[in-house]
Amino acid sequence: MASNVQNVWFISGASSGLGKSLAEAVIANGDKAIITARRLDRLEAIAAGHEENVLPLAMDVTDEAARNKAITQAIRHFGRIDVLANMAGSGVAGACEEFSLSQMRQQMELNFFATAELTKAVLPQMRKQGCGNILTVSSIAGLVAMNAAGPYCAAKFAIEGWTESLALEVKHMGIDVTLIEPGAFRTEFAGDANMRPENSIEAYRPVVEPFETYLKESAGKQMGDPAKAAQRMLEVVASDNAPYRLMLGRDAYSMWDDTINKRLRDMNSWRERGIDTAFDNAQMVDIQL
């Protein structure tokens, strides 16, 4: 989607997966971009031939000093940040009980805390500008719990809640916030990059092995096209009515619809008993959102 305005994008996790596809789409669109990841050589390959509009920066998104340095360099180089795209993340494959506390904290650090802190670091610039877009990649697993992916789901559920609250808080400042919720896309996500648990408990094999088999057999065959996902993200930024959520993939919508129906049936089965927990004659006070 071409535009007469050159937006300045700050993209984390730009060296692979959806982050790389987004970086390539932004460059092809004629926008300016700060592309970040730990592997500078991969970023430089993406920027090759577009050095005037692209600033590749090595950045470990979990490192506070690295985050702040990259943002300072970005603003010094291009003068502003119009779009923050939080694309960095990684998954897991294993049962909840099998992961150590350290591993669970690593998942929260990357998929929740680092994303939230990077967003907070960019917000002062956007507030100063009086405008901006924030795109934060969650997952359908941020809405639908899955067996063998507990720590990942936990971190994504957390970033969902934090980001939706943020969207309500900054809307009046001219800042639009959108959660990106992909299903399965043809990236490296289904490969060996997923964290495996430190422990193996035989009792969980019946629920973990099907997920491991799915990851192995689906790698490189997923329905989702990362280039098309990137185009949808460009369209969100160009829109005058950016959604709070952009779900991507037929599989994601199918899982969401099925989950909503199951949740409603489950919650409604105890609805009256759940409601009947108030003091007699108590009045409900609505919260204004």
Side-chain angles (χ1 to χ4, degrees), residues 73-283:
Q73 289 178 280
I75 296 172
R76 184 184 300 131
H77 192 82
F78 287 126
R80 59 189 293 118
I81 296 174
D82 299 302
V83 187
L84 168 63
N86 290 306
M87 309 297 290
S90 69
V92 303
C96 291
E97 190 183 349
E98 294 180 318
F99 288 96
S100 67
L101 179 58
S102 173
Q103 288 183 307
M104 290 191 290
R105 284 178 169 158
Q106 287 177 45
Q107 277 290 299
M108 292 298 295
E109 190 63 42
L110 175 58
N111 291 319
F112 174 65
F113 287 114
T115 297
E117 287 298 309
L118 180 60
T119 302
K120 286 172 58 181
V122 171
L123 277 170
Q125 178 64 28
M126 289 188 173
R127 287 192 284 104
K128 180 181 176 181
Q129 295 166 186
C131 62
N133 283 81
I134 298 170
L135 307 179
T136 293
V137 171
S138 174
S139 168
I140 186 59
L143 294 169
V144 177
M146 302 177 185
N147 58 286
Y152 179 75
C153 291
K156 291 301 186 180
F157 268 66
I159 202 61
E160 287 267 342
W162 189 88
T163 301
E164 190 167 0
S165 292
L166 175 69
L168 298 171
E169 294 166 355
V170 300
K171 184 71 174 179
H172 74 283
M173 303 178 191
I175 302 170
D176 289 321
V177 181
T178 300
L179 279 157
I180 311 297
E181 297 160 335
F185 276 75
R186 204 166 294 182
T187 68
E188 301 90 334
F189 186 85
D192 294 333
N194 286 306
M195 177 188 286
R196 263 47 177 191
E198 290 183 5
N199 307 300
S200 180
I201 301 174
E202 185 61 30
Y204 291 110
R205 291 304 90 199
V207 292
V208 171
E209 286 181 358
F211 186 68
E212 292 176 333
T213 299
Y214 160 76
L215 290 177
K216 181 179 179 180
E217 293 184 351
S218 67
K221 302 175 185 177
Q222 300 93 328
M223 289 178 61
D225 182 345
K228 289 183 178 180
Q231 287 302 315
R232 295 296 88 81
M233 290 183 238
L234 263 63
E235 290 166 15
V236 165
V237 170
S239 172
D240 292 328
N241 187 28
Y244 285 129
R245 285 185 160 86
L246 174 64
M247 193 173 288
L248 298 172
R250 185 185 304 170
D251 56 342
Y253 278 95
S254 177
M255 292 174 68
W256 172 242
D257 291 342
D258 185 53
T259 297
I260 282 295
N261 290 332
K262 288 179 179 177
R263 284 183 185 171
L264 287 173
R265 287 196 299 269
D266 183 52
M267 294 173 70
N268 285 336
S269 68
W270 281 69
R271 186 182 185 91
E272 294 305 318
R273 279 173 282 187
I275 289 173
D276 188 21
T277 53
F279 286 106
D280 293 340
N281 302 318
Q283 299 296 313

Side-chain angles (χ1 to χ4, degrees), residues 10 34 55 57-59 63-76 121:
F10 188 106
I34 303 96
L55 177 64
L57 296 175
M59 183 189 78
D63 184 325
E64 180 181 6
R67 292 192 301 261
N68 293 336
K69 180 180 178 181
I71 292 168
T72 298
Q73 289 178 280
I75 296 172
R76 184 184 300 131

